[in-house]
Amino acid sequence: MPDVTKSQSGGAAVDTAVDAVAPPVEADATTAAPAAGPAPQGKPRSLWGDAWSELRHRPLFWISAVLLVLLLAIAAFPGLFTSAEPRNGDLTNHFLTKPELTHFFQADWFGYDGQGRSIYARVIYGTRASIMVGVGVTAVVTLVGGLLGMVAGYFGGWIDSIISRLVDIFFGLPFLLGSMVVLNAFTERKVYVVIAALAFLGWTTIARVMRSSVITAKQADYVTAARALGAGTGRILFRHVLPNALAPTIVVATISLGAYISAEATLSFLGLGLADPTISWGIDISDAKDAIRDNPHVMLFPAGMLSLTVFAFITLGDAVRDALDPKLR
């Protein structure tokens, strides 16, 4: 600022003007101190960081997470939760022993079924098959549907048209009915056969969700910038588009996992899913349907375990959806 007091046109009036504009000499330290710049801010969090921060404050998330950890532990190490053999039956216990709490984690805690087998042991060992089917189907449909949806959404044109028409064809087939037809072609229906049958018709929803997410993500400025800098198609897809389009797919996959477990139990109940010697909640529910009036506990415990598992996965999916969608916070 030029020194007005030393100008040739100086005088008392100029000195007075300078004194009026200049700040007071003895000003308060808090007001006279020059601004030190903007306050330092922490490192901005990513979408997943914001989601985790939101999930930590949701009681339903922790309830479902604890239940799922317990279910995974039961599926991986069933021998730690019971010492009974689920396939060995004693006809002297034919519907005679009712549920008792006197022997916690023992063979007779849930009573016995019509063949004298421990219901508790079969519920524990049946967890493995159901979890394997649910996780296996979810992994396959997420991989196949996610890949096809990503290709269709990114490239568009005739590729998108072909994949979209293929999705429409499979989406028009009834899920359970189509799975029954596929499984009926196999004489030996093990876990991997049920996984393949359910995944054969279950990938369409993931494909549609991924396609929509990729179409939105590929129009973002960071994708345009990466393309202008010479990034290849593979790098753009897997480094820029996929990480930003994955959140809706994860939500749908988590919620669908519980539905696949329920579908497996339904097929096993109808006699078209898993079969002996595999232990499944659906098989036990099917075996108990004739004794439900006189001995409802035979169906109650496997059905309750199935409902608890489906509830845990669906609740987890709802919590993840709410955390990943800013509009629902």
Side-chain angles (χ1 to χ4, degrees):
M1 179 177 180
D3 191 356
V4 183
T5 58
K6 294 184 179 181
S7 61
Q8 294 180 356
S9 60
V14 178
D15 293 337
T16 304
V18 173
D19 292 338
V21 176
V25 178
E26 296 181 357
D28 183 56
T30 58
T31 58
Q41 298 180 355
K43 183 180 180 181
R45 291 182 302 188
S46 62
L47 173 64
W48 304 104
D50 289 337
W52 171 243
S53 178
E54 182 73 17
L55 284 174
R56 288 184 304 176
H57 300 89
R58 292 182 176 271
L60 284 179
F61 166 74
W62 289 110
I63 293 174
S64 60
V66 170
L67 286 176
L68 291 179
V69 170
L70 179 60
L71 290 169
L72 291 176
I74 293 174
F77 309 102
L80 296 178
F81 296 87
T82 180
S83 58
E85 173 56 45
R87 295 183 178 87
N88 293 343
D90 185 0
L91 293 180
T92 59
N93 293 323
H94 176 78
F95 291 141
L96 295 179
T97 304
K98 301 299 181 180
E100 298 179 359
L101 296 176
T102 56
H103 298 88
F104 192 69
F105 283 169
Q106 298 301 317
D108 59 350
W109 189 38
F110 287 178
Y112 294 87
D113 62 5
Q115 302 181 36
R117 300 173 299 188
S118 169
I119 298 177
Y120 174 73
R122 291 189 65 82
V123 167
I124 292 297
Y125 277 86
T127 307
R128 175 177 293 179
S130 298
I131 294 295
M132 287 179 62
V133 170
V135 173
V137 175
T138 303
V140 174
V141 300
T142 302
L143 180 63
V144 175
L147 181 61
L148 290 176
M150 182 173 62
V151 171
Y154 183 80
F155 291 101
W158 63 270
I159 298 178
D160 184 20
S161 299
I162 293 176
I163 296 178
S164 297
R165 299 296 78 75
L166 183 65
V167 170
D168 293 339
I169 293 174
F170 275 85
F171 201 79
L173 299 175
F175 180 70
L176 280 178
L177 180 60
S179 300
M180 291 167 61
V181 173
V182 174
L183 287 171
N184 197 42
F186 294 88
T187 57
E188 187 176 3
R189 296 183 294 273
K190 294 187 176 181
V191 172
Y192 65 89
V193 176
V194 176
I195 291 176
L198 293 177
F200 180 71
L201 296 172
W203 59 272
T204 53
T205 301
I206 296 292
R208 283 186 169 183
V209 172
M210 178 61 80
R211 175 182 176 274
S212 301
S213 300
V214 169
I215 290 177
T216 302
K218 75 176 185 179
Q219 299 173 358
D221 294 338
Y222 53 83
V223 176
T224 304
R227 189 180 294 111
L229 291 174
T233 302
R235 183 179 179 86
I236 293 175
L237 274 174
F238 293 101
R239 292 293 300 274
H240 300 285
V241 175
L242 181 60
N244 293 280
L246 199 59
T249 304
I250 292 177
V251 173
V252 174
T254 306
I255 297 177
S256 300
L257 201 155
Y260 293 137
I261 294 176
S262 179
E264 178 274 319
T266 302
L267 292 171
S268 298
F269 176 83
L270 296 174
L272 293 172
L274 298 174
D276 288 329
T278 305
I279 302 173
S280 167
W281 296 329
I283 296 175
D284 290 346
I285 295 174
S286 178
D287 293 341
K289 65 180 182 295
D290 297 329
I292 187 173
R293 290 187 177 182
D294 299 328
N295 301 276
H297 66 280
V298 181
M299 180 181 289
L300 175 63
F301 293 110
M305 196 69 168
L306 172 64
S307 300
L308 185 65
T309 303
V310 175
F311 166 79
F313 279 108
I314 291 180
T315 303
L316 179 65
D318 289 340
V320 173
R321 178 198 60 194
D322 295 344
L324 290 176
D325 191 351
K327 298 178 181 179
L328 299 178
R329 296 177 185 175

